[in-house]
């Protein structure tokens, strides 16, 4: 309504001005003067309504937290009991009495913290956000204290879920250092889970993955398979053990179904919800090689979330490329590939 009033007022004023220009004299046309003044008042009313609507929205997005322990993290590490937040921006901190007196009439919501602690959001300085989001749906192997238990977890996963042709059983988190017998798992170990479903279990460090014989077959690994910057681990007799290290892990990624923009959006949303629940509000992440989706897909997924105002954490992306041509393409497109506002 406010925008409509503004447009009507502006049109009437412009028309009146044009008429006065034709007649060349406003003194002989008092009606035109009255019309112009009226149209200016209408236009001003429209702008005022728009301003009041904006102010109302601001007020509706304000909140007071009080009766808490609020750490300001200033140079004196000052402790406050109340905080005023407007449009997701911290505007003021202080005592309950001061904050409520200054902003109590303005705040839409007031929350009694009952002595709970409020801290600034935490930052995770080393994370693979997309990989973390994906891991939340993978088989959790962090609880395995032996290869036998890892095999049991894999068998239980197959009993709970049907795996159609082409779908992989993916797990993450095993660590031979906490096994009762500190030996690395092999493809023969994973074959005890299944020889018909491709399996890939990644170590907790995310720098090595063990696969079964079916995965070896699907990927097409043979005695000539070599990956620069990685290792296809073989026994002294030259037999593939099932272990892939570093860039050799991309053999698995590149064989799996590539992630779409929608897939990556869902993965990021899943990850950020978990992080927010832990108080983490910003991350340094390395995602551009995630799931073989391609760097453009990853950036477009982030851009989609940003455009829809659904990116709830601050993200600093490490732009890691394994291929020089890809890196040059990235630079040629402005160092980020797309305009976030588009």
């Amino acid at each position: 309504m406010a925008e409509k009033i503004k447009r009507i007022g502006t049109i009437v004023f412009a028309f009146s001005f044009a008429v006065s220009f034709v007649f060349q004299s406003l003194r002989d046309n008092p009606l035109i003067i009255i019309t112009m003044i009226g149209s200016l008042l209408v236009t001003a009313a429209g702008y005022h309504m728009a301003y009041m609507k904006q102010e109302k929205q601001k007020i509706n997005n304000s909140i007071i937290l009080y009766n808490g322990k609020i750490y300001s993290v200033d140079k004196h590490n000052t402790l406050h009991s109340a905080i005023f937040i407007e449009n997701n921006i911290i505007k003021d901190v202080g005592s309950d009495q001061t904050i409520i007196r200054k902003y109590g009439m303005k705040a839409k919501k007031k929350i009694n913290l009952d002595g709970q602690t409020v801290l600034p959001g935490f930052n995770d300085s080393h994370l693979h956000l997309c990989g973390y989001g994906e891991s939340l749906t993978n088989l959790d192997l962090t609880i395995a204290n032996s290869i036998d238990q890892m095999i049991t977890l894999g068998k239980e996963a197959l009993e709970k879920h049907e795996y159609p042709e082409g779908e992989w059983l993916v797990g993450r988190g095993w660590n031979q250092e906490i096994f009762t017998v500190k030996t690395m798992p092999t493809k023969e170990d994973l074959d005890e889970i299944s020889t018909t479903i491709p399996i890939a279990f990644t170590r907790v460090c995310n720098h090595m993955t063990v696969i079964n014989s079916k995965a070896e077959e699907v990927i097409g690994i043979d005695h000539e398979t070599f990956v620069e910057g990685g290792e296809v681990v073989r026994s002294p007799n030259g037999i593939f053990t099932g272990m892939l290290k570093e860039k050799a892990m991309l053999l698995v990624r590149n064989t799996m179904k590539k992630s779409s923009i929608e897939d990556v959006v869902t993965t990021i949303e899943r990850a950020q919800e978990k992080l927010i629940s832990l108080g983490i509000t910003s991350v340094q992440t390395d995602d551009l090689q995630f799931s073989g989706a391609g760097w453009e897909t990853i950036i477009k997924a982030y851009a989609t979330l940003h455009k829809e105002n659904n990116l709830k954490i601050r993200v600093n992306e490490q732009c890691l490329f394994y291929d020089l041509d890809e890196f040059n393409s990235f630079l040629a497109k402005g160092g980020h590939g797309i305009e976030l506002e588009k």
Side-chain angles (χ1 to χ4, degrees):
M1 177 61 73
E3 291 298 322
K4 187 175 182 180
I5 291 174
K6 286 160 58 179
R7 285 196 297 270
I8 292 173
T10 303
I11 292 171
V12 172
F13 176 79
F15 178 76
S16 302
F17 184 82
V19 171
S20 69
F21 181 78
V22 171
F23 281 94
Q24 297 182 350
S25 174
L26 294 177
R27 290 179 301 173
D28 299 329
N29 299 280
L31 181 60
I32 294 177
I33 296 176
I34 294 172
T35 302
M36 292 178 69
I37 293 173
S39 63
L40 284 173
L41 291 174
V42 170
T43 304
Y47 277 98
H48 178 71
M49 290 174 65
Y51 173 78
M52 292 304 295
K53 181 179 179 181
Q54 186 180 32
E55 286 300 302
K56 184 178 180 181
Q57 288 176 339
K58 287 183 179 179
I59 294 173
N60 287 341
N61 290 329
S62 60
I63 184 173
I64 289 176
L65 307 177
Y66 67 97
N67 189 25
K69 296 177 181 177
I70 299 168
Y71 287 87
S72 62
V73 197
D74 59 15
K75 63 181 180 180
H76 302 296
N77 203 25
T78 309
L79 185 65
H80 301 280
S81 62
I83 184 170
F84 174 64
I85 303 168
E86 186 177 51
N87 294 326
N88 297 319
I89 296 175
I90 296 174
K91 290 297 186 72
D92 205 354
V93 291
S95 66
D96 291 352
Q97 182 179 4
T98 299
I99 296 300
I100 292 175
R101 175 175 53 81
K102 291 172 66 175
Y103 307 105
M105 296 296 293
K106 187 177 184 180
K108 180 178 177 62
K109 185 185 295 184
K110 301 180 185 70
I111 297 178
N112 186 342
L113 296 175
D114 291 323
Q116 295 183 84
T117 299
V118 176
L119 295 168
F122 298 119
N123 172 267
D124 191 315
S125 62
H126 183 168
L127 182 71
H128 300 269
L129 186 64
C130 290
Y132 176 65
E134 182 185 55
S135 72
L136 295 175
T137 63
N138 291 345
L139 177 61
D140 182 11
L141 300 174
T142 59
I143 61 175
N145 58 18
S146 67
I147 291 176
D148 286 341
Q149 188 174 7
M150 190 167 71
I151 293 171
T152 299
L153 291 170
K155 289 180 177 179
E156 290 175 351
L158 293 184
E159 292 173 358
K160 296 176 182 177
H161 179 72
E162 291 187 8
Y163 287 80
E165 185 175 354
E167 186 173 346
W168 290 58
L169 170 58
V170 179
R172 182 174 178 177
W174 61 267
N175 183 359
Q176 83 286 353
E177 293 299 327
I178 64 172
F179 289 172
T180 50
V181 179
K182 295 178 173 54
T183 56
M184 290 287 192
T186 65
K187 66 178 179 180
E188 287 77 19
D189 294 323
L190 269 58
D191 282 347
E192 292 189 36
I193 301 172
S194 176
T195 56
T196 59
I197 296 172
I199 301 173
F201 285 175
T202 299
R203 192 179 184 274
V204 66
C205 64
N206 200 36
H207 288 276
M208 59 181 71
T209 295
V210 61
I211 63 175
N212 67 344
S213 297
K214 183 61 177 179
E216 177 186 11
E217 174 191 328
V218 171
I219 295 171
I221 295 175
D222 58 28
H223 66 281
E224 295 182 350
T225 303
F226 172 80
V227 178
E228 185 176 358
E231 182 181 1
V232 179
V233 181
R234 295 180 172 86
S235 69
N237 297 327
I239 305 300
F240 175 52
T241 66
M243 191 67 69
L244 302 170
K245 294 184 178 181
E246 303 297 349
K247 287 179 66 174
M249 295 165 61
L250 292 175
L251 293 173
V252 175
R253 288 291 191 191
N254 294 337
T255 304
M256 292 180 176
K257 175 187 174 184
K258 294 187 181 299
S259 298
S260 65
I261 295 174
E262 293 74 18
D263 293 333
V264 179
V265 165
T266 299
T267 298
I268 295 171
E269 288 179 325
R270 184 188 305 119
Q272 72 176 0
E273 290 303 320
K274 180 63 175 179
L275 293 176
I276 290 171
S277 74
L278 300 172
I280 298 172
T281 59
S282 61
V283 298
Q284 275 70 43
T285 183
D286 173 15
D287 297 315
L288 299 192
Q289 304 302 322
F290 168 69
S291 290
W295 65 268
E296 290 184 86
T297 297
I298 302 299
I299 292 181
K300 286 177 181 178
Y302 275 115
T304 298
L305 288 164
H306 173 78
K307 184 177 181 180
E308 296 175 355
N309 202 30
N310 287 327
L311 189 58
K312 301 176 183 178
I313 59 176
R314 290 187 293 276
V315 177
N316 292 283
E317 183 71 51
Q318 174 184 325
C319 301
L320 173 65
F321 289 90
Y322 295 130
D323 183 87
L324 183 59
D325 290 337
E326 276 194 334
F327 180 60
N328 287 332
S329 175
F330 175 76
L331 293 179
K333 293 184 178 181
H336 50 66
I338 60 172
E339 295 294 336
L340 290 181
E341 64 269 17
K342 289 184 179 179

